[in-house]
Structures are given as C-alpha cells and as structure tokens.
Amino acid sequence: MSVEADVTQTATGPRSGRGWKTWVPVGIGLAISVVAFATLHTMMSSLSLGEIHAAVAGVPTSALVLAIFFTMVSFAAVSLYDVVAVETIAPGRVSRPVAAVVGAAGYAISNALGFPLLTGGALRYHAYKSGGIELADIGRIVGTSWFALWFALAIMLGVALMVDPSGIPLLKDLDHRVDLVLGIVIVALVGLFVLWLSRGAREVRIGRFHMALPSHRGALVQLVAGIVDVGAAAAVLYVLMPPGTVGSFLLFSLVFAVATVVGVASSAPGGLGAFEATLLVTLGLSDRADVVAALVLYRLIYTILPLVVTVVVLAVIEVVRRRGVVAGPAKELFRAVEPIVPPAVAALTFGGGLVLLASGSLPSVASRIGVLGDIVPLPFIEMSQLAASFVGVALLIVARGLAKRLWRAWVVSLGLLLAGAVFAMFRGLDWEEAVLLVIQATLLLGFRRAFYRRSVLNPFALTWSWLAAVLATVMASIWLGFFAYRHVEYANTMWWDFALNADAPRFLRASVVAVAIVAAVGLDVAIHRRTEKLHRASAIPPEVAPIVAASPSTDAWLALLGDKRFLFSPDRRGFVMYARSGGSLIALGEPVGPPDVVSELAWSFRDLADRQAERPVFYQVGPESLPLFLDMGLSALKLGEVARVDLPAFKLEGQKMQNLRTAMRRAEREGLSFEIIGAEQVKAEMAELRAVSDAWLENKAGSEKGFSLGYFDEAYLSHFDMAVMRKDGAIVAFANLWRGANKEELSIDLMRFLPDVSRVLMDALFAKLLLHGKDEGYRWFNLGAAPLSGLVDRRGASRWNRFGSFLYRRGGNFYHFDGLKGFKQKFNPVWTPHYLICPGGFDTAKCLVDVTALISGRPKQDP
C-alpha cells in the first residue's frame, strides 16, 4: 500500500472541438439510423404488434433448432480466423484453444456492441499481449482475418454469378454470358492467389507496412472458414424466414452481407435498424409480419444468445478460478479471457438498458396493469414509468465505464439494475424483465474483481461515438413506441392524460425524459470538457525536501516546483512525483528515494494509474531502470541523450578546448565576471533576476513551460545557489544550481540571459560552472538532454526511432536539434540515452500527446 499526497488543485475549462474527423462519421452513422427507422416505419405501416407476436409464436421449432445450430457453426468458423492468423503472424506465442476462444468471444461481444473493427482489435490486443504479441502483429492478425472474410465474399459472389446470375442486383441486366465470365474470373483469381501462396512464404508490403500472409494451407482453411461463417450467419436468418419469401440462398447470402456492412456503418449497436431496413428494401419484403418475426428471432438467436453464453462461460471461469489454483493450459486460457470480462459485462448492461427502454415503449398487459392498479396508486405507476426510462438511458451511459473497468461504474450499474427491476414491477408487473435485470445484477456482482479502477476525473465521460450509439438506441425505442401506438390519434391533451390504460401518453412522457437525458449528456460532452490545470504553488509536503537533498540525481529538485502530486512509500522515505494530463498519469523520472524503495514505488505508481483507469507514463528515465519497466509490460521510447561531463577529467587545455579558452578571455575583456550567490542571498537579488528572466522570455516570444523544466518562481528559486554573470555590476545572466547528494552531480535548471550583451556569454558561463564544480569535488556536471539525439535510422529499427531520426535531420527549421547537441559537444561530455516509458500499442501516441501538452503547460483531459 502507498500513500498519495495531492498538492495540486484542479480547475475546469473548455476544450476545443476535435474537428470534423470526429463528428462527420458519427453524423453519417446517425443519418443512416434515421433513414433506416423511417424506412422501417414505411415498410411496416400496416402491421400490428399482435400480428408480429402471433408470427413469432408460429415459427416452427425445427427452424429455431436449425437457427441455433447454424449460429454455433458460424461462431466455430469465426474462431478459426484467429487460430490461423495467430499461427501465421505469431506462431507459438498463443495456443490454438486460446486463439479460438478469444476469436469467438470477441466476435460475440463486438456483434452486440457494434464497431466490430475497433472492439475486436482492442479485445485481441488485451487478450494476446500476455503472449508477447505486439500491436503491429495484432493489426496483422486482424488484417489476415479480414482477408479471409473478403475472399470468402468474393468466392460467394463468383459462384452466385455462375449459378444464379439473374438474381444478382446491378448485374442482372447484363448478358448471362458476361455474368458467367465474371464469376469464373473471380473464382479463378482467388484460386491463383492460393496457388501463389503455395510457392513459399509471402507477405504484403505497402510502404513501410508489411504483413505476412498465411501459407496456402492456412489460406484455404481461412477461405473455407470465411465461406462457412458468412454462409452459416446468413443461414440463421434464412431458415427463420417464411417459405417463399426469398429465392436463391447464394443471392440471400450476398444481400445479408451487404446489410451487415450497412449496419456496421450506422451508429446503432449491432447495426440495429439499419441491418433490418437494408435487408427488407433489397428483398422487397414489406408489410410481412412473418418476415419481421424472423428478424426479431434472428436478433435473439445470433446476437443476444452468443453474448449471454459468453458471459455465463466467463462467470463459470471466474468461479473455477476462485476455487483453487489453476495451472497449465487452463491458466493461459483464464489469463487470455480475463480482458474479455469488462466489455462482455458492458454489452450485457447496455442490453439491459435497451430492454427497459423497449419495454417502456410497448403497451402494458391489461390484466397486469389492472392488478397493479389495485395495489399501488396511479401516480406511483406514472413515476415508475419515467424512472424506468431514466434507468434505461443511464445503463446505456455507464456501460462505457464498465468497459473501462471502473469501480464507480460497477457500483452505479449494480444499483441501476436493481432499481430497474423494481421500477419494471411497479410500472406494469413486468416480472420477466425484472428477473432478467436481477440476473444481470447477480452476474455483475460475481465479476466484482474485474472492476477495480478508480478514475478521479469525469469517470463517465462519453466519446462522441458512444453518445451516438446511445442516441441511436433511444431512437430505436421511440420508433418502436410510435410503431406500437401508430393507430392512436395523437393530440395535445394526451400529454396530460393520466389513467391505468393510458399507455401511449406514458410512452410519450417517458420518451421526453429519455431524450432530455441524452441531450443533457450531449451538452456536457460538447461544452464541459474537464481539463486539469497545473497551479504553480509552493505547498510541498514537508517530507519532500529531505528526500530530494539525499538524492544523488539533480533532477529530483524539480519536486520543489509545486506543480506535481506525490505518491509516497509507506515509510515516506521515497516518492514518485507526477501529474495528470489527458488520460495519463505522468511520473517525472524514476522514483526518488533509497534504492530499496524504488522498485516497489514504481509498481505502486503503475497500480495507481491502473486503478484510476489512466495510462502509466514515466518520463525521462535512464537505461539502468529499463529492466524494471519492461517487467511491467511497458514500452520504452528513446527520447534522446543526456550530456554529462566527467569533472575530474575536465580541463581547458588542448586543441578541442581552444574555443572555450577564447570565449573566457573575450568575456574578461568585455568586463564579464562570474559569481556564485548563496541561496540565503538570492531573495535580495530577486528583482534583478526577474528583469533578466522577463527580457529573455520576451526575446524568445514564448511562455514558461513546466513539469520537467523549471520556471521563474521566487519560492522555487530561493531554494538554490545562483550562478550569475555580471557586467558593470549588473546581472546579465543567471542559472540556479542543482547539487546532488554526496557531490555525485552538479547541474543547472533555469538559465536566462539578456540579449545582445555578448556572443560568448553562455560559453563563458558554462566553462566557469564546470571549473567551479571541479574545484568543489563534484563527479559529474549534467548539461541536460539533446532531444532525439542518438536515434537509429536503419531498416530493423523501430518506427519511433526512424521517425525521431527523421525529425532530428529535417526538423531544424522548427527546432535546432543539431545546434543544441553541438553546443553541448563543446564540453566533451559522455552521452547517455534516456527514455519515455509508457504502454504500447494504441496508447503510445496518446501518451506522447499527453506528455507534450503537460510540458507545454496545457495538460488536457481525455474525452
């Protein structure tokens, strides 16, 4: 256990919009959903709920059994995607059973939540990273799987053109011989591709990106799996459709695939509405209750049933794991499926909200509402209807917090599910959904250990895409209500109609509540973006200064800036100094303290970030600490090199030091003198020091930075001795001195000078400082870092190294990387690499943005 001291206050402020790249795809998705529901309303205009209910009840049991069978076949085929892809991209790192389970379970979740590419990729990343598979390889695994899917669709199209060309949309008007030739060409191209794979190892290269392709045997397995997957998924709906409504199964499979793509493009979870509308329009099936019944049963069997099975299996695994120690292959399986728990529970909770909203849009059972009216007053029934709608929308919102493993979301969801069960009973004795919600709450209770993160900033903040999914779901429930009550004559007086049999007015009022909640949340997403600002204060915990004074590293003095938080060891002999920016907790350097507390403090900080659902980042750490951070599963990005001068060996004699000797002699001729002002005297010189600092800032046309760089603050600077250069008795340059314990290291932090005083001013100041440090017996003088220095630009190097090396070579117009290193090279230093430690994969880019924003003084909060 560690103790956290918070010495930083927070403030709120607006955050700029994220641009058209964020809201345009969301807007297009919502537009698709709106068009889809309008289309459904038109195509089902003459149907009633009673007709649909009767049609559902009339579906033969044999069709239901076949639909369940084909669902199992489809998910078995999906699991083969990952098995073959993992063996191709990362052979031996993940076992076949684990790859199969992750593939099938991940698809069950993404099929229910929507956004299959993003959801499936994230699930695979979290499940496979324990096997040492990196983000690039996971991307190739996903890409290989999609190769199989699209080639399967191509084979199906080709066969359909050859067998049943008259039924293919857009191509049916062509000559049948053209259809036949196109079909043969498509099938032949796929066959040639498989033959090409049989000639040896193959890969696809697009620029610097490359992806290994499966062997011809693996490609055949994936091709067959893809055909089976799409065909079986289509067969689920095909066997449920009434006889005579669809023709060729090949044609139906292609229409099914198109409807699936349109559903993915919409913002609705699982493509709800868009999938159904596309299928009905393409097949020309309108006003058919038996067709709508088939679509409803398809959703229950192919979307809901696999999700429920996945959650139940995860619950069984959780029970087994709690009963004893699991070893061998089972341990690997349990470790791989553990990351699936949060999104699975989130999908189930999202479904619970959908059930509450949909049930509230439908008429109550007359016999039940009559019994309920004899037990509770009418106002209580009316309020329960409104409260159930509120709970339904709230469950849609907090489901995102469950996906992020947030403890607070778990508590709120548990309360909402139980409250929803109560309101379901008191609004119409809907005991079926009440039991369902109680079961969901029980499952949620069983997965308590999976939700341990405690985010302190806006834990339920929504992204635009999630908000769009919530809005599309509310739209679906409202459409369902208008469909159920479309024969009711609407009038203004309905809003004030309160009666036991007044289901339509209750639906209207509940819909207003649901829309108002979504609108309020949307305004919060658009306007009230939280951002944490660093308040530069001197309220430093008293334990910090003694720990810093005992540290041989001079960077520890940055703890006295007053812009950081502190995580102390239990005995308060060491600390991690950090700040929050975006979705990251960023520690400056390694933990400060005795060697025996450093490792445990680093792990405590990582655990703290994990509990708060933040990304753990360690900024500017040395190579000696890399094993510790790599053991945490974090990645290391080389930031550049730190220049340190070996003071005992430093001297001004020799050809290499000719320029420094010249600078010192010229400084003397120009009347420049060097002086060390003790910390106790700095306050008396503060006004003159500030004048120099202000002039320096004005000349640089910049502003003060922070976190890893000092800034002009009287309380901060009063802690240190000050090295100054004077001319005619006035201070023209200064730098505060950092002294490491045991005279291990001497360094400077804030360095400011008046412009146009002397061209050799800084050369002379540094030369004098080095000689002063040598005379005082210090081992090293730290000249600071040269950003992006020493990065390797070779074919086998990481993308970050190649990109950083490119910036170093080409970025001179924006930042003088080479000039900064050249200045420090004058003093013949020893160059040591330093690193940024952060999570890999999708999070690396976000960490870089957060660190940049923090150092610039503008830390931001994730949306």
Side-chain angles (χ1 to χ4, degrees), residues 551 553-567 575-580 585-593 605 616-622 629 639 706-710 716 738 749 834-837 851 854-855:
S551 173
S553 173
T554 53
D555 288 340
W557 288 107
L558 284 166
L560 303 185
L561 270 174
D563 62 354
K564 299 175 181 66
R565 302 178 177 194
F566 298 92
L567 178 70
F575 62 81
V576 176
M577 48 180 160
Y578 71 97
R580 177 179 284 103
L585 289 189
I586 303 171
L588 182 58
E590 299 95 336
V592 180
F605 179 77
V617 180
F618 294 86
Y619 179 64
Q620 291 186 340
V621 303
F629 298 116
L639 295 173
F707 189 65
S708 65
L709 301 169
Y716 169 64
W738 284 345
D749 174 30
H834 70 149
Y835 299 87
L836 171 73
I837 307 296
V851 169
L854 179 62
I855 295 172

Side-chain angles (χ1 to χ4, degrees), residues 110 330 403 501 818:
S110 62
N501 60 351
D818 197 42

Side-chain angles (χ1 to χ4, degrees), residues 505-526:
R506 272 197 291 273
F507 151 71
L508 291 176
R509 291 189 289 267
S511 297
V512 170
V513 170
V515 172
I517 295 171
V518 176
V521 173
L523 286 174
D524 181 73
V525 173

Side-chain angles (χ1 to χ4, degrees), residues 631-697:
D631 286 345
M632 295 180 183
L634 302 177
S635 300
L637 302 182
K638 188 175 181 181
L639 295 173
E641 295 177 307
V642 175
R644 301 173 76 210
V645 178
D646 185 353
L647 289 178
F650 178 74
K651 56 183 179 180
L652 289 178
E653 291 78 13
Q655 183 64 33
K656 290 184 178 180
M657 298 297 174
Q658 175 63 46
N659 291 335
L660 287 180
R661 294 196 301 272
T662 301
M664 292 181 65
R665 288 195 295 268
R666 179 174 173 179
E668 291 176 359
R669 292 196 302 269
E670 293 178 354
L672 295 170
S673 61
F674 174 78
E675 179 184 350
I676 300 292
I677 301 176
E680 66 281 357
Q681 300 175 335
V682 168
K683 190 172 183 179
E685 304 285 352
M686 197 64 72
E688 195 170 357
L689 294 174
R690 180 176 289 279
V692 173
S693 177
D694 291 344
W696 185 86
L697 286 171

Side-chain angles (χ1 to χ4, degrees), residues 237-320:
L237 182 57
Y238 187 80
V239 298
L240 293 172
M241 296 287 280
T245 53
V246 293
S248 165
F249 175 71
L250 285 173
L251 170 62
F252 181 79
S253 298
L254 291 175
V255 173
F256 176 89
V258 172
T260 302
V261 172
V262 175
V264 170
S266 72
S267 298
L272 184 64
F275 170 83
E276 288 80 1
T278 303
L279 208 140
L280 291 178
V281 169
T282 306
L283 296 177
L285 300 173
S286 60
D287 292 328
R288 291 285 302 268
D290 48 2
V291 172
V292 176
L295 290 171
V296 171
L297 289 172
Y298 168 79
R299 283 292 184 182
L300 292 174
I301 294 173
Y302 194 77
T303 303
I304 303 301
L305 183 60
L307 175 63
V308 172
V309 171
T310 298
V311 174
V312 171
V313 170
L314 291 174
V316 172
I317 290 176
E318 181 70 12
V319 171
V320 172

Side-chain angles (χ1 to χ4, degrees), residues 356 384 387-388 390-392 395 412-426 434 437-438 441:
L356 276 174
S384 295
F390 171 83
V391 171
L395 284 172
V412 173
S413 298
L414 192 62
L416 287 173
L417 288 170
L418 295 175
V422 173
F423 295 136
M425 290 296 295
F426 281 106
L437 294 173
V438 170

